[in-house]
Amino acid sequence: MIIELIGWKSKGLRAPDIEVKLERSDSSVACVTLIQMPNGTGKTTTLNCLRAAMDGSAESWDAEKVKSFGNTDTPPEFGSFIATLRINHSKRIVIEMTFHFVEGVVTYRTTAGSKIEDNYCPPPEVRRYLDPRFSELLFFDGELANDLISGEKETNAGHVIDTFYGLYHLADLKRKALDSFQDHVRQAGPAKGAAQSARLIGRIDRFRSKLAELEEQTATSVEQKKRLEEESRRIDSAIETHLLQSTQFQEAEQIARDRKELAKTRVEKAFHEIDKIFPNPLILHPFLTKSLGELADNLDKLKLPEFTSRAFFDELINEPDCVCDRPMNEAARAAVKRKADLILGDSINGFLNSLKRTVRTCTDYSGNTEFAKAVQELVSADDDLSQSQSALDDIRAQAAAAGDEEISRQRRKLEEIKGRLEIIDAFLEEATRPTRTGDDEQCKCVDFFKKRVKAMDVELARLSGTLDRKHRTDCLISVIDDAYNRSHLVLKGEVISRANEQLAQILKYNPVEIEDIGRCVKLRNRGGASMGQNLSVGYVFLAGLLHGGGNQFPLVVDSPVGALDDIARRNLGQLLPKLVKQMVAFVIPSERQWFADPLAESSGGDVLFLTHLRINEHTKDIIQRLGGRAACTSESGIVLEGKEPFFALGEDVNE
Amino acid sequence: MAFKLHTEARDWFKKISGSEPLNTLFDLYHICLTLGLASKRFESEGDSMDEFMDDFTIRYRPFQSLMIGGMIAAVLARKGISVSDRCSVAQEIGRMVSGDTTRGDLTADGFRELNGYALGGFNYLRENFDAPPQHAVWFLSRYSQLLSETGAPPKI
Amino acid sequence: MAHRAEQSTVTDINKKQIIDGMPHIEVIKAINEAVSSQDFEPQVASRVLAYLEQAETSEFPNRDREQQLSLILNALPSLGMDELPNIDDL
């Protein structure tokens, strides 16, 4: 599926009346279009309209929101925004939004080829890609790419995959099944206890909501813990490096560190030694040797195991005559059976022989102190480790006291991380433990809420006579969950593999690899990447997703490099044309520097430079000075095409 | 017919399991069983038991007969069965041992006895620790102490 | 709608995909595997896929979704009478 943004036109809105054409005379679109719009030119209005045109979301805007798009100086009755897309290099789709400012509604008209519909009605083959859940990936600010890596905000990288591959339909089906069952229960009317059912339904909803909240919190906490632990290790390493560079503490740090490493090795060795001897009960509990020896002796005295085979007596019972030739009557059989019952079976005899053999051939462990000694060695090694860690801490404290600001700062950070980890650990301990007696609605134990919800669901089904429906619904949900997990895993693997191939080529001087995609994109062996690196990986991830498998979608980005420094901007400028087939980036003048030139160079000149200005007293002179070709002009706005006016616009231009 | 641990055992050992020497559930079972036999503490299985295996693991197979032998000695002593009472001794062994090597050589009764000592050992641990152990070194040190405090096993 | 959905077997879906590549082939595989791993009837998979296929088009009003959901649930095994849980155990 190839979708290209060809252009748009706005009239009667807050933004100036203009038309922007991205299609060139040869019908191609530029790899990158940079649209420079100083503050107040209507960038936000334009972006919101573009997105609403593509995903149809304006149909659900309230009146206040609709009216906010109108020109406040001379409010007209109507406004319009028209976006044009091209599908698979051929079919055009024109989506027109008409703003009815008086009524406060937006109506749509969709033209696809020769077909015109008076509503939002993109053709079926593109509808999914224009769904709001998907358009979220196509329209974003530079923060989204960073959020995907840092995971600090709401953006969830795993959900991005779900959106792209349509896995959210599985979640929708699951939700539909659950809601339908709830409706079924409500409509079935309780077989008995209406009030009881109503109370139970309320309780289930409350518990389910709490469960979802706790599960979400647990997942977030686990990720946070991992990140904090990585950060802690990174800081520790930084402190070590810093101290090793300091003449005052270098030697002491090295000695303490070496001692700690030795102690660690000693502890590991001690654990290993214990593990080797641990399974032998005679070493663990030497007194057992005597006990088993006595058992074996007594078995010998009692002549156990038997020399006689039990099988002999079992067979004799079925013989017509005894071995002494007397007939086997009922009394005789009963006597033989009584005797046979006292004789152990062959397999038991086999076990007893094996036991006696093992005991006889076993080393005499009585008085053995191997386990106790091994534990003593472990305790001693552990003490040594603690002391060496204390010594290291002392050196750092000394360095901080001596005025080493860097060490002080890092130590404060470590303390802060330690504090946060303690809180997270306490929560996770409570959340992940099994439920126990005394747990109630105030606890934070996930297991408690899961079990209670399950029990209450069954009770509700029983009350409403819908147990069978519940069973089938549960079966369907287990199929959906299983299918989701399987497909998500495979698709995630493909996305990671594709992104890593690209990263290996693109970031070869500063390699980074994606390890996994959960709530955020996890990088392998990276304690913390810079914002520039995060942004690069975020773009690679998104672009890999959107351009995988022969697909192409336009990326519309607001402030692609806003918060980056010059080097990061340059790197991103070089990177982006390699990732995308069409990107439309909205920038303000201060974002041009370090970014636009590398971008143009990296794209082989395939960049469309546009400068959009509002026409007023302030900008008239500026526009004259800028020169360039006017791609579009109206009473209220102008679009200038070309590199010259793009770079000539001063950074102090503001409305 | 299987090895069983108290339902709370996994959680109680949570902080110190998953690494040497307490890698597996069977390791936890072994540590509880040994202490149960050493302290002569037998408790009947209740409802709060979780099955986890029906045979000795490879790590423990070389010591299987010793562990069962230890149990036999403990049961005979607990029930006050005289060592000269051949009939009773044979009957008791026949009750607990099956010789079926695919099922740990134990009958259902045998598993119940072994599990009973493991349960006793686990409860003995809980009584002698103020809280679930947080540190493997400290736990092993205290465990070693508890074992030596229990002294000689029962005389049969 | 129900009749049309009923006729949507997995093979049909693979052949006539209204939406290019949707549902994704891995999703189709996953649903088939999830159904067969639980020994449910293959109909369950085909009806679920028919639902997803319809959901992709967005021309899938709630009434039709309910109908298709019913078809899916009907294909799943019922709770046998002897499997009803003992109320005392709840």
Side-chain angles (χ1 to χ4, degrees):
Chain A
M1 171 59 59
I2 294 175
I3 300 180
E4 294 165 301
L5 179 61
I6 298 301
W8 64 87
K9 189 172 171 181
S10 74
K11 191 176 163 71
L13 304 179
R14 285 174 68 100
D17 296 346
I18 48 104
E19 182 173 2
V20 172
K21 287 183 180 166
L22 304 181
E23 187 183 15
R24 294 185 282 215
S25 52
D26 62 357
S27 302
S28 66
V29 293
C31 173
V32 178
T33 298
L34 290 178
I35 302 182
Q36 181 173 225
M37 292 174 79
N39 290 331
T41 322
K43 182 170 68 149
T44 308
T45 302
T46 305
L47 280 166
N48 288 339
C49 285
L50 262 176
R51 185 162 170 185
M54 284 178 68
D55 67 22
S57 52
E59 279 178 333
S60 58
W61 288 354
D62 60 39
E64 200 183 320
K65 183 163 180 176
V66 172
K67 287 173 185 174
S68 71
F69 279 77
N71 190 324
T72 48
D73 294 332
T74 50
E77 207 179 326
F78 300 103
S80 71
F81 189 91
I82 303 172
T84 307
L85 304 170
R86 189 168 61 198
I87 310 302
N88 294 332
H89 299 305
S90 56
K91 189 173 180 179
R92 274 174 197 270
I93 299 174
V94 179
I95 303 174
E96 294 176 50
M97 293 161 60
T98 303
F99 290 73
H100 304 258
F101 292 118
V102 173
E103 295 95 337
V105 296
V106 174
T107 57
Y108 281 78
R109 174 193 280 204
T110 313
T111 308
S114 56
K115 194 174 162 205
I116 302 174
E117 299 276 352
D118 281 328
N119 51 28
Y120 174 76
C121 188
E125 65 269 28
V126 299
R127 195 163 299 155
R128 193 179 74 79
Y129 301 107
L130 303 184
D131 182 281
R133 280 174 283 206
F134 193 80
S135 71
E136 189 178 64
L137 303 183
L138 307 184
F139 284 83
F140 57 92
D141 58 35
E143 293 288 314
L144 173 72
N146 184 57
D147 289 347
L148 287 172
I149 312 299
S150 69
E152 281 165 12
K153 295 192 187 160
E154 290 294 316
T155 314
N156 185 316
H159 286 166
V160 167
I161 293 182
D162 291 352
T163 301
F164 183 75
Y165 290 107
L167 295 182
Y168 56 79
H169 288 304
L170 284 170
D172 288 350
L173 174 56
K174 183 173 167 179
R175 171 82 348 239
K176 179 76 197 154
L178 284 167
D179 288 347
S180 178
F181 173 71
Q182 293 295 336
D183 290 342
H184 192 82
V185 162
R186 287 189 179 96
Q187 283 160 25
K192 47 189 151 224
Q196 201 178 354
S197 294
R199 271 201 305 278
L200 194 52
I201 288 171
R203 203 143 181 257
I204 290 173
D205 285 343
R206 224 170 47 242
F207 272 58
R208 220 176 239 136
S209 168
K210 184 74 192 269
L211 174 61
E213 189 190 308
L214 281 173
E215 282 176 329
E216 173 78 15
Q217 234 180 315
T218 303
T220 309
S221 295
V222 165
E223 300 244 353
Q224 268 176 350
K225 182 176 166 160
K226 265 193 206 145
R227 265 206 314 276
L228 286 171
E229 283 171 345
E230 275 168 19
E231 176 72 3
S232 172
R233 280 191 290 274
R234 198 187 58 75
I235 293 174
D236 196 62
S237 176
I239 291 176
E240 182 193 349
T241 308
H242 182 83
L243 282 171
L244 287 175
Q245 287 167 354
S246 136
T247 44
Q248 192 178 359
F249 297 103
Q250 191 183 51
E251 195 180 335
E253 167 78 12
Q254 189 63 58
I255 290 172
R257 199 151 273 282
D258 288 344
R259 187 181 161 200
K260 183 180 168 182
E261 284 309 307
L262 276 169
K264 256 173 83 173
T265 307
R266 204 178 143 205
V267 165
E268 280 163 15
K269 193 166 170 232
F271 267 121
H272 191 61
E273 288 306 312
I274 290 176
D275 191 60
K276 274 190 340 202
I277 60 177
F278 183 77
N280 187 337
L282 299 181
I283 295 183
L284 223 56
H285 181 42
F287 289 116
L288 198 57
T289 309
K290 192 153 175 274
S291 169
L292 283 171
E294 284 169 2
L295 177 66
D297 288 341
N298 280 312
L299 288 174
D300 278 340
K301 284 179 196 156
L302 296 175
K303 291 192 171 31
L304 287 169
E306 311 282 347
F307 292 121
T308 319
S309 164
R310 163 123 184 202
F312 168 77
F313 288 94
D314 288 339
E315 284 167 18
L316 185 60
I317 285 171
N318 295 319
E319 292 293 320
D321 299 315
C322 183
V323 290
C324 62
D325 284 336
R326 278 186 287 184
M328 287 292 287
N329 56 25
E330 280 312 306
R333 285 203 174 87
V336 167
K337 188 167 184 320
R338 265 198 313 277
K339 189 75 174 174
D341 284 347
L342 295 177
I343 297 173
L344 299 168
D346 289 341
S347 53
I348 300 175
N349 285 334
F351 168 78
L352 290 178
N353 279 327
S354 163
L355 170 63
K356 289 203 289 188
R357 210 166 33 245
T358 307
V359 170
R360 299 272 182 256
T361 55
C362 225
T363 311
D364 184 358
Y365 283 101
S366 43
N368 181 286
T369 53
E370 223 174 307
F371 180 65
K373 280 191 179 143
V375 170
Q376 267 167 19
E377 163 59 15
L378 175 64
V379 168
S380 164
D382 190 59
D383 280 342
D384 199 17
L385 182 61
S386 299
Q387 280 168 23
S388 57
Q389 182 60 52
S390 294
L392 267 174
D393 290 340
D394 281 344
I395 290 168
R396 284 154 192 205
Q398 281 170 36
D404 191 326
E405 264 308 304
E406 177 62 17
I407 295 291
S408 296
R409 193 178 64 84
Q410 297 285 32
R411 284 179 83 225
R412 276 196 302 273
K413 255 166 103 171
L414 267 179
E415 278 305 309
E416 193 217 316
I417 288 175
K418 192 172 154 201
R420 283 168 71 186
L421 275 171
E422 273 169 15
I423 295 171
I424 290 174
D425 276 336
F427 168 76
L428 284 174
E429 174 138 6
E430 178 66 7
T432 57
R433 64 167 172 79
T435 186
R436 54 185 177 225
T437 320
D439 276 342
D440 61 19
E441 217 173 318
Q442 309 312 317
C443 78
K444 288 184 162 51
C445 173
V446 168
D447 188 42
F448 166 74
F449 285 96
K450 261 193 193 150
K451 287 187 165 128
R452 289 301 302 136
V453 165
K454 195 170 168 187
M456 287 192 286
D457 271 343
V458 173
E459 173 64 7
L460 185 62
R462 182 188 69 83
L463 281 175
S464 58
T466 55
L467 275 173
D468 186 64
R469 173 81 183 228
K470 178 172 172 27
H471 171 75
R472 290 171 194 258
T473 303
D474 287 346
C475 288
L476 174 58
I477 286 168
S478 80
V479 164
I480 291 170
D481 284 343
D482 188 5
Y484 172 84
N485 289 334
R486 286 173 196 258
S487 51
H488 183 89
L489 190 66
V490 168
L491 292 168
K492 184 177 72 169
E494 283 177 14
V495 166
I496 290 175
S497 170
R498 213 163 43 232
N500 281 339
E501 268 173 36
Q502 233 170 354
L503 282 169
Q505 287 169 24
I506 289 168
L507 297 180
K508 57 183 164 215
Y509 299 115
N510 195 6
V512 70
E513 214 178 57
I514 296 175
E515 185 177 53
D516 193 16
I517 296 169
R519 294 178 58 78
C520 59
V521 177
K522 287 176 202 141
L523 305 179
R524 196 184 298 280
N525 298 330
R526 295 298 281 231
S530 68
M531 194 172 168
Q533 285 164 327
N534 277 354
L535 217 49
S536 301
V537 175
Y539 276 118
V540 167
F541 166 69
L542 275 172
L545 202 60
L546 296 172
H547 296 139
N551 289 319
Q552 179 185 322
F553 304 97
L555 284 185
V556 181
V557 187
D558 183 13
S559 288
V561 295
L564 297 184
D565 62 29
D566 49 4
I567 296 172
R569 284 188 182 194
R570 195 167 51 225
N571 289 339
L572 201 62
Q574 286 164 345
L575 170 69
L576 285 171
K578 295 182 179 123
L579 298 178
V580 297
K581 301 277 178 13
Q582 187 190 19
M583 176 170 164
V584 180
F586 288 75
V587 299
I588 56 174
S590 58
E591 288 167 339
R592 289 178 311 216
Q593 197 182 19
W594 301 110
F595 172 62
D597 275 329
L599 189 78
E601 199 183 313
S602 180
S603 66
D606 189 12
V607 180
L608 178 63
F609 290 96
L610 298 175
T611 303
H612 175 29
L613 295 169
R614 194 181 285 278
I615 293 177
N616 56 33
E617 285 310 312
H618 176 65
T619 58
K620 270 184 182 154
D621 292 335
I622 296 172
I623 290 166
Q624 244 180 340
R625 275 203 311 271
L626 288 177
R629 183 183 85 79
C632 166
T633 184
S634 72
E635 273 183 26
S636 55
I638 186 166
V639 176
L640 297 168
E641 191 182 315
K643 204 170 169 182
E644 208 184 295
F646 186 87
F647 282 100
L649 186 66
E651 288 186 20
D652 56 348
V653 170
N654 264 314
E655 285 293 311
Chain B
M1 281 205 314
F3 294 106
K4 293 183 187 176
L5 264 178
H6 195 288
T7 46
E8 291 173 13
R10 213 193 288 245
D11 192 52
W12 196 82
F13 284 104
K14 191 167 62 174
K15 286 278 161 76
I16 62 170
S17 55
S19 58
E20 292 179 334
L22 300 174
N23 272 306
T24 65
L25 276 178
F26 211 98
D27 292 324
L28 303 183
Y29 187 86
H30 173 55
I31 217 169
C32 294
L33 173 66
T34 305
L35 189 58
L37 289 172
S39 60
K40 309 176 194 69
R41 177 120 166 213
F42 172 86
E43 292 180 25
S44 299
E45 292 176 23
D47 289 331
S48 49
M49 300 289 277
D50 279 338
E51 279 186 17
F52 63 96
M53 288 201 73
D54 59 7
D55 196 6
F56 287 81
T57 63
I58 290 180
R59 179 158 137 102
Y60 287 91
R61 270 193 212 138
F63 311 102
Q64 179 172 334
S65 54
L66 297 176
M67 290 161 83
I68 296 173
M71 174 197 73
I72 293 171
V75 171
L76 292 175
R78 186 180 94 230
K79 291 190 172 186
I81 292 172
S82 166
V83 296
S84 53
D85 185 350
R86 186 179 188 280
C87 195
S88 299
V89 169
Q91 207 165 24
E92 204 57 30
I93 291 174
R95 183 180 70 82
M96 295 187 290
V97 176
S98 68
D100 178 0
T101 51
T102 62
R103 286 283 181 271
D105 284 325
L106 292 165
T107 61
D109 277 350
F111 273 110
R112 260 194 290 279
E113 295 288 351
L114 211 62
N115 292 337
Y117 281 103
L119 178 61
F122 175 63
N123 285 331
Y124 190 91
L125 274 174
R126 289 207 286 185
E127 285 162 14
N128 282 277
F129 279 77
D130 293 331
Q134 304 292 307
H135 193 43
V137 174
W138 187 82
F139 170 78
L140 286 168
S141 169
R142 181 78 184 111
Y143 180 78
S144 173
Q145 200 180 7
L146 284 173
L147 272 179
S148 61
E149 279 169 9
T150 56
K155 205 171 166 58
I156 57 166
Chain C
M1 181 60 97
H3 180 63
R4 174 173 164 236
E6 181 72 19
Q7 282 180 327
S8 285
T9 64
V10 176
T11 320
D12 290 345
I13 287 164
N14 282 339
K15 282 182 191 160
K16 73 166 166 63
Q17 300 236 352
I18 294 171
I19 310 301
D20 183 30
M22 282 296 147
H24 195 280
I25 190 73
E26 291 297 338
V27 175
I28 296 174
K29 252 171 64 182
I31 287 167
N32 283 323
E33 281 166 15
V35 166
S36 71
S37 75
Q38 299 211 44
D39 288 326
F40 294 151
E41 295 292 325
Q43 268 184 76
V44 174
S46 56
R47 290 177 186 189
V48 168
L49 287 167
Y51 185 105
L52 297 182
E53 186 194 61
Q54 289 296 301
E56 279 291 338
T57 67
S58 297
E59 288 172 340
F60 198 25
N62 195 51
R63 192 170 45 88
D64 294 336
R65 286 176 193 253
E66 281 286 347
Q67 212 162 9
Q68 186 62 19
L69 176 63
S70 279
L71 282 173
I72 296 171
L73 292 173
N74 285 345
L76 285 158
S78 71
L79 184 63
M81 284 308 290
D82 55 357
E83 286 176 54
L84 284 172
N86 188 342
I87 287 166
D88 296 331
D89 291 340
L90 293 177

